[in-house]
């Protein structure tokens, strides 16, 4: 591909963009709706690239990106767009980046069924009709109806990027300056390496590190790859932190990922680099003197001194855990939650009055200006004029988001059995809420006593946090023994930080205490958010996942010659389950490389969803804890309280039941697995020993302050 031809195509592309984007924004001005969308780069790219022969299009991408500076220099302008519409202006390289990425994404085409059976209900439809309802979520019903009409076929892009071509495109794309908040690199990584091949990622990592050392990388690209857990390992120089700080607003989370799982010497060097940054923020002379020599003074992303001061100041505060932002719920999420859970209360009937009341209370206490929005939703969306009248009289500025006065609370005993959902064993005597200094000491002593008397102490563990504060952190920790369940209040003002630290350290460090959870990694993350300096939360001992144990169990059952008979005797609720039946019978059929059938392979905005290779066993665990309880214990969990206000005090009785059962069912599932393994002649311990320990790096500044 000659440079002249690439330059000509680039020139035509810019001219057509200026014309098309002007028409788009002028049409928007005439439109009556304020929701006019964004300029469609996919359609524009098809217009420009479709007439070009496939074999020359790939090299043309590289050629056009390489000629951008020549074009901008000859035309004396770096940004193009429609005059009078500032939002339309983009840099020439960014225009090409948007076009290439949009064009290289898989395309969707709907193929209708040849013989759609509109009137004949399937077995699941008939069962729902007999029950007198539709059943299932709205999303599932929509997908089911769409499947009857036809299927989406995903068409691969015209140009298949070879490894060599992907590398050339990567080198050109790394230089393109983008806004700090842009998410284009997520799409770019997928387009350049859709298979996520380890070998290709290795090559990419080396190129990205080399370009960084040479100063040929934008802040957006550097920030994205420093946060990528695979690519970041290729940055061997801790001074990359300083490099990023001189290019843009580097945040604490990126620095923590960058320094995670590194040697002690590397982490020490990272702290030294941060000290250099702090000194550089003291005065303009130090700022100029400390600037990395590989960043050109004309680099488009190079920050000014005042911006550098603010970035370093905020970074150090965040690394020290001194969160300075608002803890209130985000307004957009608050409005979405009010509508979403209003649907659950008034339409789906899966939420009770007490659930929705708690939500409205905590939202209004944090965002009083949403009072009119709440009243409008109640009146216009759901026709509940009594509730609207009640909330119209409330004074949000006088309301505490965690002290909720709710007259609708159900006061039934949390241990009371139910017919529909999983119940506690009769040996469970009580649910204790631990919220004082004496109570946490008593719990600590009980745990020590059990460890002294028993070879192994099994504890079901779980944590809950509120979705209606930002940032979130664990507010309660549930611990289930076979006869008692304890719920530890992690936000009690009557318990000292020292007592929390002492108890959590003992619980998670003691090897004799086997902590049984379900995908407990996120729970530990939320616990660390509240107790960031508790080292044992980063390297806990004997934290095991009951979901992984179940996956091993199902795999072993599938290997039996008499598997169906064995399930009928010992796992009757698993019979005819399609996911379980598929284990051990993975489909080896190959699909057409040019097209694949999928209902949801591309996101709503055209951005690819992660294409993860999921085993059938992983699909089983992804169905959730309630599903596993139903299939192994006979009844599901009641998940009504899952999204309730977990930082309210006191917790409602139904919240206590939900929280306690989430921890107690871990012991029930463990016992079931142990029983079935023994029937097959296995010891459950040999499968527990296979689980890898959880090991997370400590916060960078917890080891040594600046």
């Amino acid at each position: 591909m000659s440079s002249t031809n690439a330059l000509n195509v680039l020139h035509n592309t810019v001219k057509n963009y200026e014309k098309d984007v002007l028409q788009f924004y002028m049409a928007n001005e005439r439109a009556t709706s304020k929701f006019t969308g964004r300029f469609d780069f996919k359609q524009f790219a098809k217009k420009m690239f479709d007439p070009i022969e496939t074999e020359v299009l790939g090299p043309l991408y590289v050629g056009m990106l390489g000629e951008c500076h020549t074009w901008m220099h000859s035309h004396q302008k770096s940004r193009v767009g429609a005059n009078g519409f500032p939002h339309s202006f983009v840099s020439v390289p960014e225009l090409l980046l948007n076009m290439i990425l949009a064009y290289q994404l898989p395309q969707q085409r709907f193929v209708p069924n040849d013989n759609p059976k509109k009137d004949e209900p399937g077995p699941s439809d008939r069962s729902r009709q007999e029950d007198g309802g539709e059943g299932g979520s709205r999303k599932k019903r929509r997908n089911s109806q769409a499947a009857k009409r036809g299927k989406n076929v995903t068409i691969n892009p015209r140009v298949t990027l070879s490894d060599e071509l992907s590398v050339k495109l990567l080198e050109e794309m790394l230089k393109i300056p983008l806004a700090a908040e842009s998410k284009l690199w997520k799409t770019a990584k997928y387009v350049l390496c859709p298979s996520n091949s380890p070998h290709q990622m290795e090559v990419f990592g080396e190129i990205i590190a080399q370009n960084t050392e040479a100063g040929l990388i934008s802040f957006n690209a550097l920030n994205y790859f420093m946060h990528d857990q695979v690519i970041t390992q290729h940055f061997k120089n801790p001074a990359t932190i300083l490099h990023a700080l001189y290019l843009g607003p580097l945040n604490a989370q990126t620095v923590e990922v960058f320094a995670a799982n590194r040697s002690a010497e590397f982490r020490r060097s990272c702290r030294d680099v941060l000290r250099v940054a702090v000194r550089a923020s003291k005065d303009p002379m130090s700022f100029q003197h400390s600037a990395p020599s590989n960043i050109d003074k004309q680099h488009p992303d190079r920050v000014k001194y005042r911006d550098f001061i603010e970035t370093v100041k905020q970074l150090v505060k965040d690394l020290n855990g001194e969160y300075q932002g608002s803890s209130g719920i985000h307004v957009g999420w608050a409005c979405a939650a009010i509508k979403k859970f209003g649907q659950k209360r008034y339409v789906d009937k899966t939420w009770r009055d007490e659930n929705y009341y708690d939500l409205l209370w905590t939202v209004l206490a944090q965002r009083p200006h949403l009072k009119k929005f709440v009243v409008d939703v109640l009146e216009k969306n759901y026709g509940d004029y009594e509730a609207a009248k009640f909330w119209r009289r409330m004074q949000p500025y006088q309301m505490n988001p965690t002290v909720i006065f709710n007259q609708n609370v159900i006061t039934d005993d949390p241990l009371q059995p139910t017919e529909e959902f999983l119940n506690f064993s009769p040996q469970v005597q009580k649910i204790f809420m631990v919220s004082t200094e004496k109570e946490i000491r008593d719990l600590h002593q009980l745990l020590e006593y059990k460890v002294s008397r028993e070879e192994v102490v099994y504890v079901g563990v779980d944590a809950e946090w509120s979705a209606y504060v930002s940032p979130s952190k664990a507010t309660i920790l549930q611990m289930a023994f076979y006869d008692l369940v304890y719920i530890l209040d992690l936000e009690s003002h009557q318990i000292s930080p020292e007592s929390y630290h002492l108890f959590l350290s003992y619980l998670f460090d003691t090897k004799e205490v086997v902590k049984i959870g379900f995908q407990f990694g996120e729970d530990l993350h939320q616990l660390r958010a509240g107790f960031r300096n508790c080292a044992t939360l980063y390297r806990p001992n004997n934290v095991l996942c009951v979901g992984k144990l179940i996956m091993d169990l199902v795999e072993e059952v599938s290997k039996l010659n008499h598997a169906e008979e064995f399930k009928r005797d010992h796992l009757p609720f698993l019979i005819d389950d399609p996911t379980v039946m598929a284990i051990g019978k993975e489909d080896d059929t190959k699909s057409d490389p040019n097209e694949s059938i999928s209902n949801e392979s591309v996101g709503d905005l055209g951005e690819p969803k992660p294409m993860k290779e999921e085993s059938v066993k992983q699909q089983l665990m992804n169905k959730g804890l309630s599903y596993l309880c139903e299939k192994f214990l006979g009844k599901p969990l009641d998940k009504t309280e899952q999204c309730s206000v977990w930082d309210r005090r006191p917790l409602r009785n139904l919240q206590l039941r939900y929280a306690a059962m989430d921890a107690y069912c871990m012991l029930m599932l463990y016992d079931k697995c142990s029983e079935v393994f023994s029937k097959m002649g296995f010891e459950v311990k040999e499968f527990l020993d296979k689980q890898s320990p959880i090991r997370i790096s400590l916060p960078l500044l917890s080891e040594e302050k600046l």
Side-chain angles (χ1 to χ4, degrees):
M1 175 58 60
S2 68
S3 59
T4 304
N5 191 21
L7 195 60
N8 289 337
V9 175
L10 175 59
H11 181 74
N12 290 335
T13 298
V14 171
K15 290 300 180 186
N16 276 278
Y17 174 72
E18 291 176 332
K19 175 184 174 183
D20 288 7
V21 81
L22 177 63
Q23 293 175 351
F24 173 79
Y25 278 99
M26 289 184 68
N28 281 355
E29 274 197 335
R30 294 191 295 269
T32 56
S33 171
K34 62 179 179 179
F35 302 106
T36 51
R38 296 177 295 179
F39 182 76
D40 190 347
F41 282 104
K42 180 182 289 187
Q43 292 303 317
F44 180 67
K46 285 175 67 65
K47 172 184 173 181
M48 300 306 303
F49 292 151
D50 276 355
I52 300 173
E53 296 178 2
T54 302
E55 56 269 19
V56 301
L57 189 53
L60 181 64
Y61 290 159
V62 179
M64 292 173 71
L65 287 169
E67 293 295 333
C68 283
H69 288 286
T70 302
W71 189 94
M72 291 187 292
H73 179 75
S74 62
H75 289 78
Q76 294 296 304
K77 61 180 179 180
S78 59
R79 297 175 66 81
V80 294
N83 291 328
F85 300 98
H87 294 298
S88 69
F89 279 83
V90 293
S91 68
V92 177
E94 186 178 352
L95 168 63
L96 288 181
L97 180 62
N98 275 289
M99 291 174 62
I100 293 170
L101 296 184
Y103 197 69
Q104 286 298 126
L105 286 175
Q107 306 293 314
Q108 292 281 297
R109 187 176 71 217
F110 183 77
V111 178
N113 285 335
D114 294 333
N115 298 307
K117 299 179 181 180
K118 297 181 180 179
D119 300 324
E120 184 179 336
S124 59
D125 297 321
R126 283 193 290 267
S127 63
R128 283 197 299 268
Q129 289 169 7
E130 289 167 6
D131 293 338
E134 283 295 314
S137 68
R138 286 182 296 160
K139 183 177 180 181
K140 288 180 181 177
R141 293 198 296 269
R142 284 198 303 270
N143 289 345
S144 175
Q145 292 163 5
K148 293 175 184 176
R149 292 194 299 269
K151 56 181 176 281
N152 287 330
V153 176
T154 302
I155 308 298
N156 290 333
R158 282 178 61 206
V159 180
T160 301
L161 300 179
S162 65
D163 290 353
E164 181 183 357
L165 188 56
S166 293
V167 165
K168 291 180 179 179
L169 281 172
L170 175 66
E171 290 178 326
E172 293 294 339
M173 291 176 177
L174 288 173
K175 308 170 190 175
I176 300 175
L178 300 170
E181 63 275 9
S182 172
K183 305 296 183 185
L184 278 179
W185 268 106
K186 181 179 178 181
T187 307
K189 181 185 173 185
Y190 170 80
V191 165
L192 295 175
C193 187
S195 65
N196 220 19
S197 158
H199 171 70
Q200 188 78 339
M201 287 294 104
E202 186 82 15
V203 174
F204 281 8
E206 292 174 2
I207 291 171
I208 292 162
Q210 291 168 7
N211 277 45
T212 303
E213 291 296 326
L216 301 175
I217 191 168
S218 68
F219 171 74
N220 190 280
L222 180 57
N223 184 62
Y224 177 81
F225 288 115
M226 283 179 71
H227 201 274
D228 185 284
Q229 294 183 351
V230 175
I231 299 294
T232 193
Q233 298 299 316
H234 291 274
F235 293 111
K236 305 300 183 184
N237 189 352
T240 303
I241 293 174
L242 189 66
H243 189 121
L245 282 168
Y246 270 80
L247 293 181
L250 187 66
N251 62 47
Q253 190 179 12
T254 301
V255 173
E256 292 287 10
V257 173
F258 176 77
N261 304 317
R262 306 277 195 152
S263 66
E265 182 182 354
F266 186 92
R267 289 170 67 83
R268 193 179 307 112
S269 298
C270 287
R271 289 189 287 271
D272 290 340
V273 170
L274 289 170
R275 291 186 184 100
V276 171
V278 171
R279 288 195 295 271
S281 67
K282 298 300 182 185
D283 59 80
M285 288 295 292
S286 299
F287 173 70
Q288 294 293 337
H289 178 73
S290 301
S293 58
N294 57 349
I295 301 180
D296 191 277
K297 290 185 177 180
Q298 303 304 315
H299 193 293
D301 285 341
R302 184 160 176 154
V303 299
K304 297 179 180 178
Y305 174 58
R306 290 187 179 277
D307 295 330
F308 182 82
I309 293 174
E310 291 302 316
T311 298
V312 172
K313 182 179 177 182
Q314 188 61 49
L315 176 63
V316 173
K317 283 183 177 179
D318 291 343
L319 287 172
N320 280 317
E322 303 169 12
Y323 183 75
Q324 302 293 314
S326 168
S327 61
I329 183 173
H330 187 277
V331 174
W333 164 229
C335 294
I338 290 167
K339 289 184 175 180
K340 174 182 177 180
F341 295 111
Q343 174 83 14
K344 286 180 175 288
R345 163 63 186 88
Y346 292 101
V347 181
D348 300 337
K349 306 291 186 182
T350 55
W351 259 32
R352 303 177 181 89
D353 282 333
E354 58 184 299
N355 301 98
Y356 199 46
Y357 183 101
D358 278 6
L359 169 68
L360 295 181
W361 180 292
T362 195
V363 166
L364 289 179
Q366 297 174 73
R367 303 295 181 192
H369 68 280
L370 291 180
K371 178 178 172 179
K372 184 179 185 302
F373 178 82
V374 167
V375 172
D376 286 347
V377 167
L378 290 170
E379 287 184 340
K380 298 176 183 177
N381 292 31
Y382 306 117
D384 192 342
Y385 297 100
E386 285 298 318
K389 182 179 178 182
F390 173 84
W391 289 106
R392 187 180 282 113
R393 292 199 306 264
M394 297 296 285
Q395 301 297 322
Y397 290 98
Q398 300 175 12
M399 292 157 55
N400 186 315
T402 60
V403 181
I404 301 175
F405 299 98
N406 192 339
Q407 301 287 331
N408 305 304
V409 173
I410 295 173
T411 57
D412 293 345
D413 181 1
L415 294 176
Q416 181 178 322
T418 66
E419 292 185 6
E420 187 178 355
F421 300 108
L422 189 64
N423 294 307
F424 294 94
S425 165
Q427 68 184 112
V428 178
Q429 302 169 15
K430 192 173 181 181
I431 300 172
F432 286 98
M433 188 76 185
V434 179
S435 55
T436 67
E437 195 75 30
K438 180 181 182 304
E439 289 168 346
I440 196 172
R441 280 201 305 267
D442 290 345
L443 178 56
H444 195 156
Q445 290 171 5
L446 173 66
L447 200 55
E448 289 179 330
Y449 175 76
K450 283 180 174 288
V451 169
S452 68
R453 296 291 299 271
E454 303 171 29
E455 184 178 343
V456 178
V457 179
Y458 294 100
V459 182
V461 291
D462 191 47
E464 303 294 344
W465 53 92
S466 177
Y468 314 113
V469 294
S470 178
S472 63
K473 62 180 181 179
T475 62
I476 60 172
L477 173 66
Q478 305 100 280
M479 296 172 52
F481 300 102
Y482 283 101
D483 56 346
L484 296 167
V485 181
Y486 290 87
I487 298 177
L488 175 58
D489 185 353
L490 298 175
E491 296 186 331
S492 174
H493 299 297
Q494 299 180 55
I495 301 178
S496 66
E498 294 76 20
S499 295
Y500 277 128
H501 188 278
L502 188 65
F503 177 77
L504 292 173
S505 296
Y506 181 80
L507 172 64
F508 286 101
D509 190 49
T510 305
K511 293 181 179 179
E512 291 79 9
V513 180
V514 177
K515 282 75 64 176
I516 304 173
F518 178 74
Q519 298 182 329
F520 200 66
E522 179 61 20
D523 301 68
L524 280 171
H525 174 75
Q526 295 293 339
L527 285 167
R528 290 191 289 266
F531 304 93
R532 69 187 311 272
N533 293 322
C534 184
T536 54
L537 294 176
Y538 298 85
R539 294 177 173 270
N541 289 317
N542 259 352
V543 174
L544 304 173
C545 178
V546 75
K548 292 179 180 178
L549 189 62
I550 288 173
M551 287 164 61
D552 290 335
L553 173 66
V554 173
E555 184 175 27
E556 292 300 326
V557 170
S558 69
K559 295 177 182 177
L560 297 175
N561 293 329
H562 55 290
E564 289 304 313
E565 182 181 343
F566 185 88
K567 282 191 288 186
R568 192 159 41 249
D569 293 338
H570 304 290
L571 297 167
F573 304 107
L574 280 182
I575 296 174
D576 297 332
D577 184 276
T579 306
V580 175
M581 291 173 68
I583 293 179
K585 303 176 184 177
E586 271 84 348
D587 187 9
D588 294 327
T589 57
K590 294 181 180 179
S591 60
D592 186 336
N594 292 318
E595 65 178 42
S596 59
I597 298 171
S598 170
N599 282 328
E600 295 181 278
S601 61
V602 178
D604 294 337
L605 298 178
E607 186 173 301
K609 293 185 177 180
M611 291 192 176
K612 299 179 180 177
E613 291 294 332
E614 287 189 346
S615 67
V616 180
K617 291 191 298 179
Q618 187 63 42
Q619 292 175 28
L620 175 67
M621 194 159 77
N622 287 347
K623 287 178 177 288
L625 184 60
S626 180
Y627 173 86
L628 295 180
C629 287
E630 182 177 8
K631 294 302 177 182
F632 284 83
L633 302 175
K635 287 186 178 182
L637 297 174
D638 182 356
K639 304 301 285 186
T640 305
E641 298 293 338
Q642 185 176 26
C643 296
S644 62
V645 182
W646 286 108
D647 57 349
R648 69 157 286 163
R649 294 297 180 269
L651 293 177
R652 294 177 285 103
N653 282 11
L654 291 180
Q655 286 181 300
L656 290 173
R657 176 185 173 82
Y658 173 91
M661 180 54 78
D662 257 18
Y664 190 76
C665 72
M666 306 297 176
L667 298 178
M668 300 173 73
L669 287 168
Y670 170 79
D671 286 347
K672 185 66 177 179
C673 290
S674 181
E675 174 195 331
V676 177
F677 271 126
S678 67
K679 297 291 184 183
M680 292 188 289
F682 294 111
E683 285 289 336
V684 69
K685 187 177 185 302
E686 63 183 278
F687 293 94
L688 293 177
D689 292 342
K690 291 180 182 178
Q691 297 194 19
S692 303
I694 297 172
R695 296 292 180 261
I696 303 293
S697 295
L698 288 164
L700 186 60
L701 299 189
S702 68
E703 301 163 352
E704 180 186 350
K705 298 297 181 185
L706 295 182

